[in-house]
């Protein structure tokens, strides 16, 4: 039994979306979220996807419920656009701060980033991902290769502690150590005035750890398919590790905290 849930923060891929299952979404979980929204809770999708990739995901998987907020790229905070066209707009000045802190970081961490790029290109088969302003992250061939890459970055970043990364299966995004899903969730909670005690969060992978350690959400949870590190963090924070996987596990956790 938890406090009343006023803000729900769920990861997307591997948490609500079961890519290898049919159906991909758990209908009962979506119903439950819809019902909680009707009763006044806000629902945020907190994902590593960009706004564009999340929008296409919501369409592709035919989401029956629309999120109230989206927290994207493991750092940005968006609310529905005020022009009512169904799009999203930056919520407050957070995203600007995120962008300028990252621009500053990537210029001061240039040599560490160059070392990482050298290692990745010379010692691995991983593919580097670029965006307009430079390098964004990489995609490893498999999780073992990603383990080798993160081991290398963990050593290289000792010289530049603000330089960090978010890891999600074979995907990795470089980032400033102050920005992650937990920080984006805390900013949203501040903007809509919801205390930590009334926040539920659910995720399945490394990049979800920052919102599941109990610091920003008093009710952390994970589905049964979450990686062991996530289950351990959720357990240590007094959260709920579901018996069921994906959306069914999220629904199970929501019921656990509301009944
Ligand atoms: Mg995930």
């Amino acid at each position: 039994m938890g406090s009343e849930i006023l803000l729900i923060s769920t990861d997307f891929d591997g948490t609500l979306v079961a890519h290898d299952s049919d159906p991909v979404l758990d209908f009962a979980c979506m119903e439950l979220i819809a019902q909680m929204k009707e009763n006044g809770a806000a629902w945020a999708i907190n994902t590593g996807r960009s706004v564009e990739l999340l929008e296409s995901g919501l369409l592709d998987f035919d989401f029956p419920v629309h999120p109230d907020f989206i927290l994207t790229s493991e750092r940005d905070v968006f609310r529905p656009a005020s022009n009512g066209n169904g799009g999203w707009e930056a919520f407050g000045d957070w995203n600007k701060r995120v962008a300028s802190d990252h621009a500053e970081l990537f210029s001061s961490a240039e040599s560490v980033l160059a070392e990482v790029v050298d290692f990745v290109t010379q010692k691995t088969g991983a593919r580097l991902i670029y965006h307009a302003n430079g390098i964004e992250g990489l995609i490893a061939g498999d999780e073992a290769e990603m383990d080798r890459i993160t081991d290398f970055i963990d050593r290289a970043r000792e010289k530049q502690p603000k330089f960090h990364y978010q890891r999600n299966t074979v995907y990795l995004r470089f980032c400033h150590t102050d920005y992650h899903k937990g920080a984006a969730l805390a900013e949203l909670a501040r903007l809509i005035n919801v205390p930590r005690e009334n926040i539920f969060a659910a995720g399945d992978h490394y990049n979800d750890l920052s919102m599941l350690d109990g610091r920003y959400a008093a009710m952390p949870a994970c589905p049964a398919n979450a990686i062991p590190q996530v289950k351990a963090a959720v357990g240590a924070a007094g959260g709920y590790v579901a018996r069921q996987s994906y959306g069914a596990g999220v629904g199970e956790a929501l019921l656990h905290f509301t009944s």
Side-chain angles (χ1 to χ4, degrees), residues 11-15 168 181 203-205 207-208:
D11 172 42
F12 192 72
D13 301 282
T15 298
N168 178 25
K181 288 189 180 194
D204 71 305
H205 222 278
N207 64 338
D208 296 304

Side-chain angles (χ1 to χ4, degrees), residues 74-78 90-106 175-180 182-191 216:
E74 289 136 351
R75 57 175 90 140
D76 289 322
V77 178
F78 289 92
F91 195 177
D93 60 4
W94 174 262
N95 299 357
K96 268 190 200 145
R97 205 181 336 153
V98 167
S100 75
D101 283 356
H102 279 86
E104 196 178 305
L105 170 77
F106 290 136
C175 68
H176 189 295
T177 196
D178 292 349
Y179 297 100
H180 40 64
L185 174 58
E187 174 64 4
L188 173 62
R190 186 187 72 80
L191 286 164
Y216 305 108

Side-chain angles (χ1 to χ4, degrees), residues 9-257:
S9 169
T10 61
D11 172 42
F12 192 72
D13 301 282
T15 298
L16 290 178
V17 176
H19 288 277
D20 298 330
S21 305
D22 184 22
V24 162
L25 298 180
D26 182 79
F27 186 71
C29 172
M30 297 316 302
E31 274 287 283
L32 185 55
I33 290 175
Q35 200 185 318
M36 292 174 75
K37 269 165 57 78
E38 262 173 49
N39 292 334
W43 174 38
I45 294 180
N46 200 338
T47 180
R49 287 185 180 230
S50 63
V51 173
E52 294 72 23
L53 285 177
L54 179 57
E55 281 178 330
S56 61
L58 289 168
L59 279 177
D60 292 347
F61 304 120
D62 210 5
F63 263 68
V65 191
H66 205 65
D68 299 294
F69 302 97
I70 59 173
L71 311 177
T72 59
S73 306
E74 289 136 351
R75 57 175 90 140
D76 289 322
V77 178
F78 289 92
R79 65 179 174 187
S82 51
N83 61 13
N85 68 358
W88 300 92
E89 66 182 20
F91 195 177
D93 60 4
W94 174 262
N95 299 357
K96 268 190 200 145
R97 205 181 336 153
V98 167
S100 75
D101 283 356
H102 279 86
E104 196 178 305
L105 170 77
F106 290 136
S107 80
S108 65
E110 216 168 333
S111 66
V112 174
L113 199 50
E115 267 181 60
V116 173
V117 168
D118 281 350
F119 175 81
V120 169
T121 41
Q122 288 163 22
K123 303 280 172 57
T124 79
R127 187 158 63 85
L128 293 161
I129 309 289
Y130 292 84
H131 56 49
N133 304 317
I135 189 158
E136 177 171 17
L138 57 91
I139 305 176
D142 54 34
E143 298 246 14
E145 185 173 71
M146 186 62 97
D147 285 338
R148 285 206 295 127
I149 293 169
T150 55
D151 282 348
F152 182 87
I153 302 175
D154 288 341
R155 285 194 304 275
R157 64 180 286 272
E158 283 171 14
K159 289 165 277 184
Q160 192 66 251
K162 289 287 179 192
F163 178 79
H164 211 341
Y165 58 85
Q166 297 297 324
R167 172 183 178 177
N168 178 25
T169 64
V170 295
Y171 301 94
L172 180 144
R173 174 179 287 112
F174 299 112
C175 68
H176 189 295
T177 196
D178 292 349
Y179 297 100
H180 40 64
K181 288 189 180 194
L185 174 58
E187 174 64 4
L188 173 62
R190 186 187 72 80
L191 286 164
I192 63 172
N193 206 15
V194 173
R196 171 192 169 276
E197 287 64 38
N198 299 102
I199 302 177
F200 170 94
D204 71 305
H205 222 278
Y206 286 111
N207 64 338
D208 296 304
L209 286 170
S210 62
M211 65 164 170
L212 300 176
D213 59 8
R215 186 167 164 198
Y216 305 108
M219 293 174 272
C222 64
N225 59 286
I227 59 170
Q229 293 84 345
V230 164
K231 290 180 178 171
V234 167
Y240 184 76
V241 178
R243 287 179 302 277
Q244 302 169 81
S245 292
Y246 305 107
V250 176
E252 181 189 321
L254 284 167
L255 287 174
H256 167 80
F257 284 113

